[in-house]
Amino acid sequence: MPAVSRVDALVDGMLARGQHSITTEAAAEALGVPHSQVRVRFSRLTHSGHVFSPARGLWVAVPPAFRTWGSLPGLQFLDPMMAHLGRAYYVGWLSAAELHGAANQRPQVLQVAVAGHAPDRGSGRVQLPFVTRRRSAPLRRQQHPPPPAPRRR
């Protein structure tokens, strides 16, 4: 059995606690390494699909059920990512209709509106196109539970 590194233990501990995201600063503190070493330490796990980085300075652990996707579903890491970036957002259009059970089909992308320009992001199967909307900040937010993990048959 291969030796378990401190990075593996950190990611497994995050998943065991139900925490999916960690910042570079928090990872450096937990691992006891300088900030510049965090990317190097996570590189092996990034290439194997155990971790991905949707934004600079944010790392997201991928549970085994979603490793074939290459990332978590967008709704599970969107809120921590946007909080990390300090951006107001809302899930809109067909993606919002799906959340409320009013969509007649599942959207291929998670449609997100932001107050200012933001580059589109994606990881694995998940694509996040951002659309600029002037009035995205004052809208009331509604939290939705994450979707269940896919089952193997």
PDB file of all heavy atoms in Angstrom, residues 2 5 8 21 23 34 81 103 132 151:
ATOM      1  N   PRO A   2       0.603   2.244  -0.872  1.00  0.00           N
ATOM      2  CA  PRO A   2       1.470   3.417  -0.944  1.00  0.00           C
ATOM      3  C   PRO A   2       1.361   4.274   0.311  1.00  0.00           C
ATOM      4  O   PRO A   2       0.341   4.268   1.007  1.00  0.00           O
ATOM      5  CB  PRO A   2       0.941   4.176  -2.172  1.00  0.00           C
ATOM      6  CG  PRO A   2      -0.439   3.670  -2.385  1.00  0.00           C
ATOM      7  CD  PRO A   2      -0.481   2.287  -1.840  1.00  0.00           C
ATOM      8  N   SER A   5       0.575  10.839   1.916  1.00  0.00           N
ATOM      9  CA  SER A   5       1.259  12.101   2.177  1.00  0.00           C
ATOM     10  C   SER A   5       0.375  13.011   3.015  1.00  0.00           C
ATOM     11  O   SER A   5      -0.818  12.752   3.205  1.00  0.00           O
ATOM     12  CB  SER A   5       1.610  12.792   0.864  1.00  0.00           C
ATOM     13  OG  SER A   5       0.438  13.267   0.235  1.00  0.00           O
ATOM     14  N   ASP A   8      -2.525  14.264   0.902  1.00  0.00           N
ATOM     15  CA  ASP A   8      -3.602  13.281   0.809  1.00  0.00           C
ATOM     16  C   ASP A   8      -4.442  13.280   2.080  1.00  0.00           C
ATOM     17  O   ASP A   8      -5.675  13.231   2.026  1.00  0.00           O
ATOM     18  CB  ASP A   8      -3.042  11.875   0.585  1.00  0.00           C
ATOM     19  CG  ASP A   8      -2.427  11.701  -0.779  1.00  0.00           C
ATOM     20  OD1 ASP A   8      -2.882  12.360  -1.727  1.00  0.00           O
ATOM     21  OD2 ASP A   8      -1.481  10.893  -0.888  1.00  0.00           O
ATOM     22  N   SER A  21     -13.831  22.894  -0.168  1.00  0.00           N
ATOM     23  CA  SER A  21     -12.889  23.900  -0.661  1.00  0.00           C
ATOM     24  C   SER A  21     -11.962  24.382   0.446  1.00  0.00           C
ATOM     25  O   SER A  21     -12.310  24.367   1.629  1.00  0.00           O
ATOM     26  CB  SER A  21     -13.644  25.092  -1.255  1.00  0.00           C
ATOM     27  OG  SER A  21     -14.434  25.706  -0.268  1.00  0.00           O
ATOM     28  N   THR A  23      -8.578  27.453   0.837  1.00  0.00           N
ATOM     29  CA  THR A  23      -7.768  28.479   0.191  1.00  0.00           C
ATOM     30  C   THR A  23      -6.294  28.093   0.263  1.00  0.00           C
ATOM     31  O   THR A  23      -5.900  27.236   1.059  1.00  0.00           O
ATOM     32  CB  THR A  23      -7.959  29.849   0.857  1.00  0.00           C
ATOM     33  OG1 THR A  23      -7.508  29.760   2.215  1.00  0.00           O
ATOM     34  CG2 THR A  23      -9.411  30.300   0.799  1.00  0.00           C
ATOM     35  N   PRO A  34       5.373  27.003   2.970  1.00  0.00           N
ATOM     36  CA  PRO A  34       5.157  28.350   2.446  1.00  0.00           C
ATOM     37  C   PRO A  34       4.057  28.349   1.380  1.00  0.00           C
ATOM     38  O   PRO A  34       3.793  27.327   0.742  1.00  0.00           O
ATOM     39  CB  PRO A  34       6.494  28.742   1.825  1.00  0.00           C
ATOM     40  CG  PRO A  34       7.464  27.693   2.211  1.00  0.00           C
ATOM     41  CD  PRO A  34       6.722  26.518   2.712  1.00  0.00           C
ATOM     42  N   MET A  81     -16.430  29.648  -4.421  1.00  0.00           N
ATOM     43  CA  MET A  81     -15.591  30.311  -5.413  1.00  0.00           C
ATOM     44  C   MET A  81     -15.937  31.789  -5.525  1.00  0.00           C
ATOM     45  O   MET A  81     -15.054  32.644  -5.530  1.00  0.00           O
ATOM     46  CB  MET A  81     -15.741  29.644  -6.782  1.00  0.00           C
ATOM     47  CG  MET A  81     -14.874  30.292  -7.852  1.00  0.00           C
ATOM     48  SD  MET A  81     -15.069  29.564  -9.472  1.00  0.00           S
ATOM     49  CE  MET A  81     -16.645  30.239  -9.959  1.00  0.00           C
ATOM     50  N   ALA A 103     -37.792  23.347 -15.448  1.00  0.00           N
ATOM     51  CA  ALA A 103     -37.103  23.181 -16.735  1.00  0.00           C
ATOM     52  C   ALA A 103     -37.578  21.899 -17.412  1.00  0.00           C
ATOM     53  O   ALA A 103     -37.757  20.874 -16.755  1.00  0.00           O
ATOM     54  CB  ALA A 103     -35.599  23.133 -16.525  1.00  0.00           C
ATOM     55  N   THR A 132     -22.708  39.225 -17.818  1.00  0.00           N
ATOM     56  CA  THR A 132     -22.699  40.476 -17.067  1.00  0.00           C
ATOM     57  C   THR A 132     -24.108  41.044 -16.988  1.00  0.00           C
ATOM     58  O   THR A 132     -24.768  41.230 -18.007  1.00  0.00           O
ATOM     59  CB  THR A 132     -21.772  41.502 -17.742  1.00  0.00           C
ATOM     60  OG1 THR A 132     -20.474  40.919 -17.842  1.00  0.00           O
ATOM     61  CG2 THR A 132     -21.688  42.779 -16.937  1.00  0.00           C
ATOM     62  N   ARG A 151     -24.992   7.428  -8.692  1.00  0.00           N
ATOM     63  CA  ARG A 151     -24.839   6.045  -8.247  1.00  0.00           C
ATOM     64  C   ARG A 151     -24.301   5.192  -9.376  1.00  0.00           C
ATOM     65  O   ARG A 151     -24.670   5.370 -10.524  1.00  0.00           O
ATOM     66  CB  ARG A 151     -26.178   5.475  -7.796  1.00  0.00           C
ATOM     67  CG  ARG A 151     -26.691   6.094  -6.555  1.00  0.00           C
ATOM     68  CD  ARG A 151     -27.930   5.390  -6.140  1.00  0.00           C
ATOM     69  NE  ARG A 151     -28.429   5.970  -4.889  1.00  0.00           N
ATOM     70  CZ  ARG A 151     -29.551   5.646  -4.351  1.00  0.00           C
ATOM     71  NH1 ARG A 151     -30.334   4.751  -4.923  1.00  0.00           N
ATOM     72  NH2 ARG A 151     -29.925   6.207  -3.228  1.00  0.00           N
TER      73      ARG A 151
END
